[in-house]
Amino acid sequence: MKILVPVKRVVDYNVKVRVKSDGTGVDIANVKMSMNPFDEIAVEEAVRLKEAGVATEVVAVSCGVGACQETLRTAMAIGADRGILVETDVDLQPLAVAKLLKALCDKEQPQIVICGKQAIDDDANQTGQMLSALMGWPQATFASKVAVGSGKATVTREIDGGLETLEISLPAVITTDLRLNEPRYATLPNIMKAKKKPLETLKPADLGVDVTPRLTTLKVVEPAKRSAGVMVADVAQLVEKLKNEAKVL
Amino acid sequence: MTILVIAEHDNASLKGATLNTVSAAAKLGGDIAILVAGSGAAAVAAAAAKVAGVAKVLVVDAAAFADQSAENLAAQVVAVVKAAGGAISHVLAPATTAGKNVLPRVAALLDVAQISEIVAIESADTFVRPIYAGNALATVKSADAVKVITVRTTAFEAAAAEGGAAAVEQVAEAGDQGLSKLVGRELTKSARPELGAAKIIVSGGRGMGSSENYHNVLEPLADKLGAALGASRAAVDAGYVPNDYQVGQTGKIVAPQLYLAVGISGAIQHLAGMKDSKVIVAINKDPEAPIFQVADYGLVADLFEAVPQLTAAV
Ligand SMILES: Cc1cc2nc3c(=O)[nH]c(=O)nc-3n(C[C@H](O)[C@H](O)[C@H](O)COP(=O)(O)OP(=O)(O)OC[C@H]3O[C@@H](n4cnc5c(N)ncnc54)[C@H](O)[C@@H]3O)c2cc1C
Ligand SMILES: Nc1ncnc2c1ncn2[C@@H]1O[C@H](COP(=O)(O)O)[C@@H](O)[C@H]1O
């Protein structure tokens, strides 16, 4: 069984981004870029399924600029067998990514696609669900546990009220939540090995997909800052302030 | 133009998040219709018809919607949009785990973009939404014929649950897609208010040290304040509390009157979920903790001393 794992190159989660003064976007020049954390969890899960003998091949896919190659190498260092880069300079929105992934699914015929639940830059939380819809496949989003059987998977999902377990037929799309696993660190030998793994580059046109954005960003601004608060000396003062100043008790 | 709001419910009652979504819909200008797709959900349809400002309730009651699967619900929403022959200009759902699960599916099937988690509406096609864990706000304009939108509930007041008298109409069932099956749910039982609706939230982080500490130290305070309990990711990962307690960029977004952060450092991912609270209190033993930069009142103290004192004093 083949597993496809879409991995997005995003600003590292530790970086506090700055809005550009001209309001056109956030400044990502010279900031650290990493694999979207939810996608690391996705790669880890796929690799574990391979190590468990459930999957036979793990293919990582990244869509975007040429530098996404680094993200694919990271995926291969964790254990993906090969990488596919769909290269474009166009600002890709989730629907466009889902269409590119659909074209790759038609070609590669994976049984499972494991996406992250959300990219931490656009905070969209859309791509996995969209891909699943375009394929006409079942979806199990926000997964915290995955068990793959023959022709089906049982997935526990994190929902607002607690947890929910679904049984879905395969092929299917699964999206990862934080508690699914703890991704391993790529070791130096594995990073070296990853450099030799196959990496194929395609263009959206090769896949026959129109990636023109549907949404136009008119402006990007910084949110209103909270005004600085005060430090209180002890609990008594805190209670006094909450009662008489903030009037919330 | 009709704005279609997808009701969130458990077949028994209409969830509060739907009321916030109706208020967002009201800002768009047009008739508001609520779709109630459920199984044995007559009470939900009746509640939806009473919501102020709603013109119509569309009801489809069938076994296929018992578990609210994304596949069946999305197919139904798309069928309703198509049957309306262009009359539906917007499809809205709350940005809850349920809304986030189903709406991108609807958007893809309609071949339109989804606009996620809007916090403001500038016009019928222009919306404001947070990106990068709320460190930036983007204003985006959609060129699609149907705008598919999830709504951040904390950014819009709840519409009045009573006062409306909408017409109730049955719609044709789109059928069971047969793609997934619910095995079971483990819902967290609590007599406390829901995180999304609570006026006061007491939230604990890794500083609590253990599940026992979390419960022994924070529950008495929450009980006295009538507060909901929340947590940081670290507290959830460590197993102190269930996953649905997590507040943050990738957990729940909250905006209570009072948010008490106890033993939470204030990582950007946590701040993303609570920095719109009216009053923020931080109790942390590290004076350098970033949480103090957003707190209205900061107390540098050992939580194991400060919280019991606070519980006794309120
Ligand atoms: C993709 C991604 C998504 C994430 N999403 C979220 C999210 O949605 N929500 C979220 O919260 N985090 C999220 N995180 C995690 C986030 O980055 C932080 O790791 C997390 O918020 C830290 O939790 P914490 O503040 O409880 O723990 P820590 O950072 O370890 O802080 C513990 C604090 O407790 C204090 N403390 C310890 N003992 C005491 C004591 N006795 N008395 C008083 N104070 C004490 C310490 O001084 C410290 O400041 C996410 C991370 C990633 C990568
Ligand atoms: N450009 C991209 N390349 C590869 N995968 C992507 C890309 N964009 C999104 N994804 C996948 O879709 C998930 C959700 O992204 P989003 O819908 O943008 O929040 C990510 O965690 C990835 O698994």
Side-chain angles (χ1 to χ4, degrees), chain A residues 13 37-38 120 178, chain B residues 205-207 231-235 246-251 263-267 269-270 283-286 289 301-304:
Chain A
Y13 81 97
F38 288 100
I120 61 164
L178 295 168
Chain B
R206 198 195 314 263
S232 69
R233 174 191 173 179
Q246 183 180 313
V247 170
Q249 179 190 15
T250 61
I264 292 178
S265 62
Q269 293 83 8
H270 189 77
I283 301 177
N284 196 305
K285 68 178 180 190
D286 173 10
D302 185 333
L303 71 91
F304 296 105

Side-chain angles (χ1 to χ4, degrees), chain B residues 34-38 41-42 45-46 57-61 76 168-172:
Chain B
I34 298 189
L35 173 68
V36 177
V57 176
L58 304 175
V59 177
V60 50
D61 209 293
Q76 182 67 51
V168 178
E169 206 175 281
Q170 304 290 322
V171 294

Side-chain angles (χ1 to χ4, degrees), chain B residues 12-92:
Chain B
S13 62
L14 184 69
K15 298 278 181 198
T18 307
L19 301 177
N20 305 82
T21 310
V22 167
S23 311
K27 292 205 157 66
L28 291 164
D31 283 344
I32 300 174
I34 298 189
L35 173 68
V36 177
S39 173
V44 179
K50 287 195 203 128
V51 176
V54 175
K56 203 160 42 170
V57 176
L58 304 175
V59 177
V60 50
D61 209 293
F65 305 113
D67 306 328
Q68 299 287 297
S69 83
E71 297 86 350
N72 289 352
L73 204 49
Q76 182 67 51
V77 174
V78 170
V80 168
V81 172
K82 294 207 162 142
I88 293 175
S89 55
H90 298 75
V91 179
L92 270 62

